[in-house]
Amino acid sequence: MRVIILGSAAGGGVPQWNCGCGNCQDARLSGTGRTQSSVALSADGARWVLLNASPDLRAQIASRPELWPRGARGTPISAVVCTDGEIDHTLGLVLLREATARFPVYAPAGVVGLLDREWPVLRVLSAYAGVEPRTLPEGQAIPLADGAGRELGVTCTAVSVARRAPRYAREASAATYDVALRLADQRTGATLAYIPTAGAVDDAVRSVARGADLLLFDGTFWSDGELRAAGVDAPTAREMGHVPIGGPGGSIELLPRLGARRTVLVHINNTNPILSRSSSERAQVEGSGIEVADDGMEVEL
Ligand code: MLT
Ligand code: MN
Ligand code: ZN
């Protein structure tokens, strides 16, 4: 299974258009940056699945020959799986509107409901080629398939994680809004645990991550009060549903116990000090054997 991190940043990216923090200023001045959270994976190297569809999807596809069209019209992107209904993980669906056939989009039940009603991507795209929503069952491995129903050689198990509904959601519902994914290559058995957003390292996270060949985990914030410290009137990391990396009960303390072969932080917010390669926080992450993702990072499992 091939895994490509298309975008390693959280919502807003780096630099974020209206953020003057040190990381965003550095990114502007050095002409480097990070695009928003998305991963591409493939079992056969020919047909690809996107894990989340970011607002930067157009540039991400343009940057990877694996995702370029074959022929006059067409795409090797065969399906999308959304782990949540947040804008940074779903806006890219709108950018796929030029598709020539209904696009399969797997998502948890609560997210399919959101995309149908409160953030009506399904209705808007129905005027184009359209999206075929496929609800991810809880805790059950299903084979992913393309629009024609051909299996892609990857099974996907979704387990709900402790997180609130997106900010725009007004409907009170008990449905699942956020999942951790365990993806397995049906031929080789290689496994990817994909958990870009998690409010805690709890039983759900443990069950998905245990013994995975690669764990991609929520690296949004270093500390609980990070956004406030950056001068933004915002909830804490834990209130937003992101377990901080540092401090007691932080992810660098808990992740190494999950037994994943390799652990890489993704969905990194622009305020996070680990983005600076010379920071002590970055050294602490790397000292615990955990890696920090970069855009374009590729792993063969
Ligand atoms: C999150 O990951 O917490 C959300 O994407 C934040 C947001 O942009 O509202
Ligand atoms: Mn996000
Ligand atoms: Zn910033």
Side-chain angles (χ1 to χ4, degrees):
M1 183 156 64
R2 281 179 69 196
V3 178
I4 301 172
I5 296 172
L6 297 175
S8 58
V14 189
Q16 177 177 313
W17 68 283
N18 63 346
C19 185
C21 80
N23 288 331
C24 288
Q25 274 303 81
D26 285 348
R28 284 184 193 99
L29 293 170
S30 63
T32 60
R34 289 168 183 266
T35 63
Q36 294 165 84
S37 177
S38 179
V39 166
L41 76 85
S42 176
D44 61 12
R47 299 171 301 163
W48 291 81
V49 176
L50 295 181
L51 307 179
N52 290 317
S54 107
D56 299 314
L57 187 56
R58 181 182 162 279
Q60 290 168 340
I61 293 171
S63 75
R64 295 300 313 201
E66 296 89 342
L67 304 179
W68 292 355
R70 319 267 192 263
R73 274 283 193 286
T75 177
I77 302 171
S78 303
V80 179
V81 186
C82 291
T83 57
D84 62 38
E86 301 282 351
I87 302 292
D88 61 345
H89 280 162
T90 56
L91 187 62
L93 296 173
V94 177
L95 307 180
L96 297 174
R97 69 187 177 283
E98 296 90 353
T100 52
R102 273 183 104 199
F103 221 87
V105 174
Y106 294 85
V111 173
V112 171
L114 291 172
L115 297 178
D116 194 33
R117 293 185 294 276
E118 302 213 47
W119 161 220
V121 169
L122 301 183
R123 182 177 64 71
V124 169
L125 288 178
S126 69
Y128 302 80
V131 160
E132 183 195 332
R134 295 178 180 171
T135 301
L136 288 167
E138 173 78 25
Q140 184 193 327
I142 57 158
L144 298 178
D146 69 10
R150 288 179 295 252
E151 292 190 7
L152 298 167
V154 179
T155 62
C156 177
T157 309
V159 177
S160 64
V161 292
R163 275 193 98 231
R164 47 144 188 68
R167 255 201 285 179
Y168 65 78
R170 293 190 203 141
E171 280 176 18
S173 151
T176 299
Y177 289 110
D178 206 310
V179 289
L181 300 179
R182 189 168 174 107
L183 298 132
D185 186 312
Q186 286 178 289
R187 190 174 52 83
T188 66
T191 49
L192 165 66
Y194 179 59
I195 315 178
T197 55
V201 179
D202 55 11
D203 284 346
V205 166
R206 275 189 284 274
S207 72
V208 169
R210 189 171 295 122
D213 294 304
L214 175 64
L215 166 61
L216 300 179
F217 192 80
D218 184 335
T220 313
F221 298 114
W222 172 261
S223 58
D224 204 29
E226 184 171 311
L227 280 180
R228 271 182 219 165
V232 184
D233 180 25
T236 67
R238 288 185 191 277
E239 283 165 357
M240 289 178 74
H242 299 291
V243 56
I245 300 166
S251 57
I252 48 174
E253 181 185 307
L254 302 173
L255 294 181
R257 301 179 195 167
L258 303 184
R261 247 207 217 156
R262 195 169 166 189
T263 299
V264 179
L265 298 177
V266 296
H267 193 276
I268 305 162
N269 198 58
N270 51 67
T271 51
N272 193 325
I274 67 170
L275 291 180
S276 165
R277 286 172 204 277
S278 57
S279 67
S280 65
E281 292 87 352
R282 175 69 164 249
Q284 284 180 66
V285 170
E286 291 173 348
S288 68
I290 294 172
E291 296 167 70
V292 177
D294 279 312
D295 286 19
M297 184 174 180
E298 200 175 330
V299 182
E300 176 87 48
L301 300 177

